[in-house]
Amino acid sequence: MSATSPAQESERPGRIMSGEMAEQPAMLRRVLDRGAPAIREVAAAVAARKPRFVLLTARGTSDNAALYAKYLLEIRLGLPCGLASMSTTTAYGAKPDLRDVLVVTVSQSGGSPDLVASTRAAREAGAITLAVTNNRDSPLSAVSEHHIDILAGPEKALPATKTYTASLLSLYLFVEGLAGGDGSAAEVLPERAAEILARRDEVRALAARYRFAERMVITSRGYGYPTAKEAALKLMETSYIPALSYAGADLLHGPLAMVDNISPVIAVVTDGRGGEALQPVLDRLRGRGADLFVVGPEAQVEAASAGFVLPTAGVAEELQPVLEILPLQMLAYEVTIARGQDPDAPRALAKVTETH
């Protein structure tokens, strides 16, 4: 077999997304080594202000990272959190009283006009504003009081991969800093991420099973729920498969009726309380004969139709989402390739989405 020429390699579908997924172990190490000190400084400055409430603002993949931060802040610190409705200020001109409120805006590019406008309005309304971006020189960073650089490096593929995991880890370190912790529990992540990404052949075999799926349902509970939402987004924007994400409890309130033995159900089973809370949902899915794909502990995978065993031993539950998304990123990539499409260039999408 002849070697692939540089020209052929440069034209290979999905090469950019593939390369950026592979960068994640090194990126996680960079955030831990270079980003953590600056994140601790920001956390200390914000903690000194004693915010009484947190509003999280984001779109797309960053919105799923913000949802993860919501779980962290509410569970770890007991701070009530909400996901902001930007149109209340950008479209309706509302002027809420945001004194002593922390407004965290998560954006890969920091360039979307509605994010910039809503953050500027929040600061004018008295909020403590924090931008979490992959661009320290972005318009969003300029209008925010504080900034965290997630240090993911340039991301050229349209589907976000490394910026998502970089955002998760940066937000974890920020919340740990607010709580007075050192974030050392995250030191295990780069090595475990490398272990997962080395199992690409395993995911490729799973992708062959699901390449003709017409619909997917993805579910989880607790810390795993943002992973379910992000996995659904990745599948939809790369392979164009309609993927519906539900918290496990919500799946039982009606949507369970659409589950059959044809459309795959992916369950993200976090090893901890979230996975325990999801167990009744898994039992109901098995009872309906669902084609159940599990990402999680070995015992849960063995009881499913198919799955991917996560190396979660010694990984705190709140850190597992950084690992859970990796096989699902690979699944979205491999399903897309198997369907003859290019995951680097989803139709009708741009890297910076300029909503107003």
Side-chain angles (χ1 to χ4, degrees):
M1 181 180 294
S2 60
T4 303
S5 70
Q8 290 173 320
E9 177 65 20
S10 67
E11 296 174 359
R12 179 171 57 87
R15 66 177 183 82
I16 303 174
M17 182 180 176
S18 178
E20 289 174 352
M21 286 192 295
E23 291 177 29
Q24 289 176 103
M27 175 276 298
L28 294 171
R29 173 48 57 195
R30 183 164 62 248
V31 173
L32 290 168
D33 290 348
R34 289 176 43 199
I39 293 172
R40 280 194 294 270
E41 289 182 10
V42 171
V46 171
R49 302 275 292 277
K50 295 181 169 52
R52 58 183 170 86
F53 190 86
V54 182
L55 275 176
L56 295 149
T57 307
R59 298 284 192 198
T61 283
S62 294
D63 201 29
N64 299 327
L67 180 59
Y68 168 72
K70 185 177 189 293
Y71 277 90
L72 281 174
L73 288 158
E74 291 185 342
I75 295 170
R76 185 81 172 87
L77 299 178
L79 269 176
C81 299
L83 298 176
S85 300
M86 281 176 279
S87 62
T88 60
T89 55
T90 61
Y92 291 91
K95 297 185 181 299
D97 180 0
L98 297 179
R99 287 172 295 179
D100 301 324
V101 173
L102 171 62
V103 173
V104 181
T105 306
V106 186
S107 172
Q108 299 154 40
S109 68
S112 185
D114 60 346
L115 294 172
V116 175
S118 62
T119 301
R120 181 186 294 112
R123 190 169 182 180
E124 291 171 353
I128 310 159
T129 52
L130 167 63
V132 180
T133 79
N134 195 39
N135 181 1
R136 63 187 305 170
D137 298 319
S138 66
L140 178 61
S141 305
V143 301
S144 299
E145 183 179 356
H146 303 285
H147 177 246
I148 288 174
D149 186 345
I150 64 172
L151 299 176
E155 188 173 59
K156 297 180 180 179
L158 285 175
T161 54
K162 63 179 182 174
T163 52
Y164 179 68
T165 48
S167 296
L168 295 188
L169 179 53
S170 298
L171 288 164
Y172 167 81
L173 292 171
F174 172 67
V175 175
E176 278 298 293
L178 290 178
D182 61 6
S184 60
E187 287 291 327
V188 69
L189 291 177
E191 181 180 352
R192 295 296 173 85
E195 291 174 20
I196 292 168
L197 291 168
R199 294 161 60 188
R200 192 157 206 167
D201 288 346
E202 187 179 333
V203 177
R204 190 173 295 120
L206 291 166
R209 177 187 179 107
Y210 297 117
R211 64 178 293 191
F212 297 114
E214 295 183 358
R215 180 187 68 202
M216 289 189 180
V217 175
I218 308 177
T219 189
S220 189
R221 290 202 70 177
Y223 285 113
Y225 180 44
T227 306
K229 289 178 69 66
E230 174 62 11
L233 177 59
K234 283 292 150 293
L235 283 161
M236 288 189 288
E237 69 181 354
T238 56
S239 69
Y240 318 140
I241 295 174
L244 308 173
S245 59
Y246 295 97
D250 290 331
L251 183 63
L252 298 183
H253 286 268
L256 184 68
M258 70 177 172
V259 172
D260 52 31
N261 61 355
I262 298 174
S263 299
V265 179
I266 299 176
V268 180
V269 186
T270 305
D271 190 3
R273 293 186 183 182
E276 293 168 6
L278 189 64
Q279 191 59 53
V281 181
L282 299 176
D283 293 341
R284 290 286 297 277
L285 289 169
R286 294 187 187 103
R288 289 189 59 83
D291 180 356
L292 183 61
F293 176 108
V294 167
V295 174
E298 185 173 7
Q300 294 289 353
V301 172
E302 289 177 348
S305 307
F308 188 99
V309 177
L310 278 179
T312 56
V315 182
E317 180 177 0
E318 60 268 27
L319 283 168
Q320 290 176 35
V322 180
L323 303 178
E324 289 167 347
I325 193 59
L326 300 179
L328 294 167
Q329 289 174 348
M330 290 192 289
L331 181 68
Y333 171 89
E334 295 293 350
V335 167
T336 304
I337 294 294
R339 289 164 69 96
Q341 296 154 198
D342 185 356
D344 283 345
R347 62 194 182 204
L349 295 182
K351 190 63 182 171
V352 180
T353 303
E354 295 194 356
T355 46
H356 294 270

